[in-house]
């Protein structure tokens, strides 16, 4: 059994690293948001609009517990996943949890280009996104920092950059077997 949960803020590169681990190193890959969208036949934005953030968090918890039973899998979680209910404890008990830590300035560059599918960001301008990142990080960091491993994620542009991160994760995960 080897289960790896990738956690971190929106734009940290959880999906990028997770799909890389799957393509290059043979893990199954689950992107939690994508899985939720397929299960409920609705986009994350539609689920937020229909059920509010509270309703979305309940669905997210349910699906996290479900995927936490799958074997040899990398799960890219949503940015808020570790910060609600027992989600962080669930991930810590079911596998290796990796926090991809990226500085605010870099997150801002990434998120400005990719805010439309993210209901918590889509109506915000650059300065509002910066304020949101800073305020959320104050609350979320304590959850993220419970991870078994923290890796630096600001350099994620080339195949080599991502492979270096993947290898760091795999070295750590195999030491935990
Ligand atoms: C959220 C992050 C999103 C998604 C939802 C809420 C958050 O996932 O779950 O929009 O609260 O940070 P990504 O981190 O994959 O963007």
């Amino acid at each position: 059994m080897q289960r790896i949960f990738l956690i971190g803020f929106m734009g940290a590169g959880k999906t990028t690293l997770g799909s890389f681990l799957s393509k290059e190193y043979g893990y199954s890959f689950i992107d939690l948001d994508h899985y939720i969208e397929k299960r409920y036949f609705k986009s994350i934005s539609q689920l937020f609009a229909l059920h509010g953030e509270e309703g979305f968090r309940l669905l997210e918890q349910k699906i996290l517990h479900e995927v936490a039973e799958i074997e040899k899998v990398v799960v890219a979680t949503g940015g808020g996943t570790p910060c609600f209910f027992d989600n962080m404890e669930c991930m810590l008990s079911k596998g290796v949890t990796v926090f991809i830590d990226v500085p605010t300035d870099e997150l801002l560059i990434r998120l400005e280009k990719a805010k439309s599918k993210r209901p918590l960001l889509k109506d915000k301008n650059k300065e509002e996104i910066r304020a949101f990142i800073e305020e959320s990080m104050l609350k979320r960091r304590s959850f993220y920092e419970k991870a078994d491993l923290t890796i630096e994620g600001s350099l994620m542009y080339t195949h080599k950059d991502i492979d270096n991160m993947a290898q760091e994760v795999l070295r750590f995960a195999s030491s935990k077997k």
Side-chain angles (χ1 to χ4, degrees), residues 84-103:
F84 292 85
F85 312 117
D86 60 349
N87 295 350
M88 194 62 199
E89 288 68 33
C90 168
M91 293 188 275
L92 288 167
S93 67
K94 294 287 185 177
V96 170
T97 304
V98 180
F99 169 34
I100 310 176
D101 196 6
V102 177

Side-chain angles (χ1 to χ4, degrees), residues 10 14 33 44 48 56-57 60 77-80 118-120 140:
M10 290 180 264
K14 300 166 300 237
D33 281 341
I44 298 299
F48 263 71
F56 170 75
R57 297 301 173 192
E60 181 181 53
T77 62
R118 292 179 162 110
L120 296 173
R140 290 182 174 189

Side-chain angles (χ1 to χ4, degrees), residues 157-168:
Y157 292 102
T158 64
H159 186 278
K160 185 83 195 107
D161 295 336
I162 304 170
D163 198 36
N164 287 340
M165 292 170 72
Q167 290 194 30
E168 191 179 345

Side-chain angles (χ1 to χ4, degrees), residues 32-34 36-37 40 42-63 77-81 84-85 87 119-120 140:
L32 200 65
D33 281 341
H34 190 65
I36 293 170
E37 290 179 331
Y40 294 99
K42 295 206 166 37
S43 68
I44 298 299
S45 297
Q46 287 170 324
L47 290 169
F48 263 71
L50 271 174
H51 306 294
E53 182 173 352
E54 254 175 70
F56 170 75
R57 297 301 173 192
L58 289 167
L59 300 179
E60 181 181 53
Q61 181 199 29
K62 177 170 150 29
I63 298 300
T77 62
T81 312
F84 292 85
F85 312 117
N87 295 350
L120 296 173
R140 290 182 174 189

Side-chain angles (χ1 to χ4, degrees), residues 2-53:
Q2 185 83 92
R3 223 174 264 122
I4 299 173
F5 297 96
L6 302 177
I7 67 170
F9 208 76
M10 290 180 264
K14 300 166 300 237
T15 302
T16 304
L17 181 59
S19 58
F20 188 94
L21 280 163
S22 139
K23 280 189 207 109
E24 304 283 330
Y25 294 100
Y27 277 78
S28 304
F29 174 57
I30 291 179
D31 179 273
L32 200 65
D33 281 341
H34 190 65
Y35 197 89
I36 293 170
E37 290 179 331
K38 293 276 169 221
R39 170 63 63 86
Y40 294 99
F41 303 104
K42 295 206 166 37
S43 68
I44 298 299
S45 297
Q46 287 170 324
L47 290 169
F48 263 71
L50 271 174
H51 306 294
E53 182 173 352

